[in-house]
């Protein structure tokens, strides 16, 4: 059996700008990406069925046989996996008309997706499950997913040694090989703490779980990390973090607050950058929606910043409550950014312009090289397509 994580086109738009550069199944929620979760829960290979321009980087890697096609935004759990094990070819699992999964032959997959699995026999699922339908679902579900991933990753295993210099409350902590923590305080009484391979927690850091730190990442001196925080692989963080995710290969290395938000890959925050996550009037926060070119009421009182891949901001940037920053936006200029910064923006305010592709590529090559990665033609082709998709937003806002 092989799993295919499927991106419904409408669902992709609901998750823009985060889904512009990756399939939904590649979103990190908790410690693992959604695809990594399914691989471990079901012990099978996983691939993607997403937008055509993403398939070179995220291929559909099966050509024959039966497949279990799963909504790319759904996270696994024991009850859901048991239900999927019992699914037969030609059946689909649904909940209140929401598509969860279907079992099909790979030869019938494309037609089934086009027809929205209408001909498949419905099997009703009546249990709760975790689904990522809008960007805010990622940080809202993060704490619970850290706990699930912690149990999944550490079951039957022994943590690396923890230094005697660490002030540890509780014992729900796991260090992978090569991880280190010195002269810091870690509280696991509210949730577990997972420290990835070759990562570091520096002196004076204060951490409260649930918290997950990816491999080859650093938590800098005196950093304050509250509950429900994920810092993915290849990151460096400082300042104050609360109920937020940094997916990977990004830096928030200085003082400043990041809360109730999501930051993609290859991002950088300048020193003393902050985001607000609560309006002065305490009303619900609205987020920009690409599909309607309007603001959608999240129903949340706390909602901070959604920042897509490759975005950067200068020192002392102040993000307003409910700000959406598009792919490869470069924010500077001394003004408070608007609550929607279009993809490939260059600056904000009266002098804002367009970040031309070739110049953006030059920067990306340097950023990738700093982490011993190569900015290759496939990465460039994805960004060219995103530039094309988001022309309307730039024309309307810049």
């Amino acid at each position: 059996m092989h799993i295919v994580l499927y991106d419904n086109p409408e669902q992709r738009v609901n998750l823009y700008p985060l889904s512009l550069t990756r399939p939904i199944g590649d979103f990190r929620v908790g410690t693992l990406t959604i695809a990594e979760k399914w691989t471990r829960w079901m012990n099978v290979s996983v691939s993607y069925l997403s937008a055509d321009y993403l398939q070179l980087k995220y291929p559909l890697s099966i050509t024959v046989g039966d497949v279990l096609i799963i909504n790319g935004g759904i996270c696994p759990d024991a009850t859901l996996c048991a239900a999927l094990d019992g699914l037969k070819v030609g059946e689909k699992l649904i909940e209140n008309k929401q598509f969860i999964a279907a079992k099909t032959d790979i030869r019938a997959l494309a037609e089934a997706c086009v027809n929205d699995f209408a001909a498949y026999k419905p099997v009703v699922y009546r249990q709760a499950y975790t689904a990522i339908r809008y960007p805010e679902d990622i940080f809202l579900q993060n704490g619970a997913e850290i706990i699930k991933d912690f149990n999944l990753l550490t079951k039957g295993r022994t943590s690396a040694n923890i230094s005697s210099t660490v002030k540890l409350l509780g014992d729900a902590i796991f260090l992978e090989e090569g991880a280190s923590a010195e002269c810091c305080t870690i509280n696991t009484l509210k949730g577990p703490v997972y420290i990835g391979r070759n990562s570091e927690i520096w002196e004076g850091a204060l951490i409260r779980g649930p918290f997950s730190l990816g491999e080859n990442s650093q938590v800098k001196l005196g950093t304050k990390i509250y509950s429900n925080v994920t810092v993915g692989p290849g990151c460096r963080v400082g300042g104050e973090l609360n109920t937020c995710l940094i997916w990977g290969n990004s830096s928030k290395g200085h003082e400043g607050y990041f809360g109730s938000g999501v930051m993609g890959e290859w991002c950088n925050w300048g020193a003393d950058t902050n985001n607000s996550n609560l309006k002065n009037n305490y009303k619900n926060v609205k987020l920009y929606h690409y599909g309607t070119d309007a603001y959608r009421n999240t129903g949340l009182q706390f909602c901070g910043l959604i920042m897509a891949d490759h975005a950067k901001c200068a020192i002392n940037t102040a993000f307003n409550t409910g700000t959406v920053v598009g792919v490869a936006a470069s924010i500077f200029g001394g003004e408070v950014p608007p609550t929607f910064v279009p993809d490939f923006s260059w600056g904000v305010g009266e002098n804002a312009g367009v970040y031309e592709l070739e110049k953006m590529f030059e920067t990306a090559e340097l950023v990738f090289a700093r982490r011993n990665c190569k900015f290759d033609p496939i990465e460039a082709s994805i960004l060219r397509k995103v530039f094309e998709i988001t022309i309307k937003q730039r024309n309307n806002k810049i």
Side-chain angles (χ1 to χ4, degrees):
M1 180 55 60
H2 178 82
I3 287 176
V4 174
L5 296 180
Y6 168 59
D7 288 358
N8 177 280
E10 181 181 352
Q11 185 181 15
R12 282 184 50 74
V13 174
N14 287 339
L15 287 161
Y16 280 2
L18 300 174
S19 56
L20 282 166
T21 49
R22 66 186 65 242
I24 300 165
D26 192 48
F27 285 13
R28 189 177 304 280
V29 190
T31 299
L32 302 169
T33 68
I34 296 174
E36 290 168 343
K37 296 174 194 290
W38 282 110
T39 297
R40 288 178 176 270
W41 274 95
M42 301 289 280
N43 195 29
V44 296
S45 59
V46 174
S47 61
Y48 306 89
L49 184 58
S50 188
D52 289 345
Y53 70 94
L54 294 174
Q55 295 289 170
L56 275 176
K57 184 176 179 180
Y58 302 93
L60 181 62
S61 58
I62 183 172
T63 56
V64 294
D66 293 342
V67 296
L68 187 60
I69 183 160
I70 301 175
N71 181 320
I74 291 179
C75 299
D77 58 52
T79 305
L80 180 56
C81 288
L84 294 176
D85 275 338
L87 211 59
K88 297 180 175 62
V89 173
E91 293 182 338
K92 62 182 177 182
L93 194 66
I94 61 169
E95 180 268 330
N96 195 25
K97 298 184 179 180
Q98 293 289 326
F99 173 79
I100 297 175
K103 197 169 186 180
T104 186
D105 183 277
I106 188 64
R107 294 170 297 182
L109 180 59
E111 182 180 353
C113 291
V114 169
N115 295 323
D116 204 23
F117 302 92
Y120 283 57
K121 179 183 176 182
V123 177
V124 178
Y125 188 68
R126 303 188 187 279
Q127 305 299 317
Y129 62 95
T130 299
I132 306 303
R133 296 189 174 96
Y134 292 100
E136 65 270 21
D137 292 330
I138 299 169
F139 66 79
L140 289 173
Q141 300 293 343
N142 196 51
E145 286 299 310
I146 290 174
I147 295 169
K148 284 165 55 179
D149 289 347
F150 182 89
N151 294 332
L152 186 67
L153 289 166
T154 65
K155 184 177 181 180
R157 302 176 63 212
T158 301
S159 170
N161 291 331
I162 301 168
S163 171
S164 61
T165 67
V166 174
K167 176 63 175 178
L168 181 62
L169 286 73
D171 57 5
I173 185 168
F174 192 95
L175 277 69
E176 295 285 1
E177 181 182 352
S180 65
E182 298 289 349
C183 299
C184 56
T185 299
I186 301 177
N187 182 351
T188 71
L189 298 177
K190 299 295 184 181
V193 171
Y194 176 84
I195 312 299
R197 186 184 301 270
N198 299 325
S199 59
E200 302 175 0
I201 300 176
W202 296 359
E203 303 91 297
L206 302 171
I207 296 171
R208 171 178 283 197
F211 170 63
S212 176
L213 182 64
E215 64 181 31
N216 299 309
S217 290
Q218 295 89 39
V219 175
K220 293 180 68 177
L221 300 170
T223 303
K224 297 181 286 293
I225 295 178
Y226 298 87
S227 296
N228 310 319
V229 172
T230 291
V231 176
C235 294
R236 179 171 286 188
V237 297
E240 190 174 6
L241 295 88
N242 184 16
T243 311
C244 61
L245 296 88
I246 302 176
W247 278 351
N249 297 309
S250 292
S251 294
K252 182 211 168 299
H254 304 284
E255 294 300 320
Y257 177 77
F258 180 32
S260 303
V262 182
M263 186 191 306
E265 283 198 279
W266 311 110
C267 298
N268 188 74
W269 274 27
D272 293 318
T273 291
N274 293 272
N275 81 269
S276 166
N277 64 347
L278 175 67
K279 298 176 71 171
N280 286 350
N281 60 13
Y282 286 64
K283 290 186 177 180
N284 287 350
V285 179
K286 296 180 180 180
L287 286 178
Y288 177 79
H289 186 273
Y290 280 67
T292 61
D293 193 27
Y295 284 80
R296 174 182 58 83
N297 190 338
T298 65
L300 300 176
Q301 196 173 63
F302 288 91
C303 184
L305 172 71
I306 306 298
M307 176 177 274
D309 290 351
H310 299 282
K312 314 283 192 295
C313 63
I315 62 170
N316 297 314
T317 302
F319 289 109
N320 217 327
T321 318
T323 294
V324 174
V325 175
V327 174
S330 185
I331 297 168
F332 59 89
E335 298 183 27
V336 174
T339 51
F340 172 57
V341 181
D343 308 78
F344 297 92
S345 293
W346 180 255
V348 296
E350 292 184 359
N351 297 319
V354 176
Y355 199 174
E356 298 297 339
L357 271 174
E358 297 308 319
K359 292 183 178 179
M360 186 267 154
F361 290 172
E362 290 176 4
T363 301
E365 288 176 1
L366 296 172
V367 171
F368 274 55
R370 280 171 57 89
R371 287 177 169 80
N372 299 314
C373 297
K374 182 175 176 57
F375 182 75
D376 61 26
I378 293 177
E379 296 285 351
S381 70
I382 290 172
L383 291 169
R384 288 185 189 279
K385 185 63 178 180
V386 174
F387 190 87
E388 176 186 318
I389 291 171
T390 57
I391 286 174
K392 173 184 173 182
Q393 278 71 28
R394 282 191 300 283
N395 288 344
N396 288 347
K397 307 295 181 181
I398 298 178

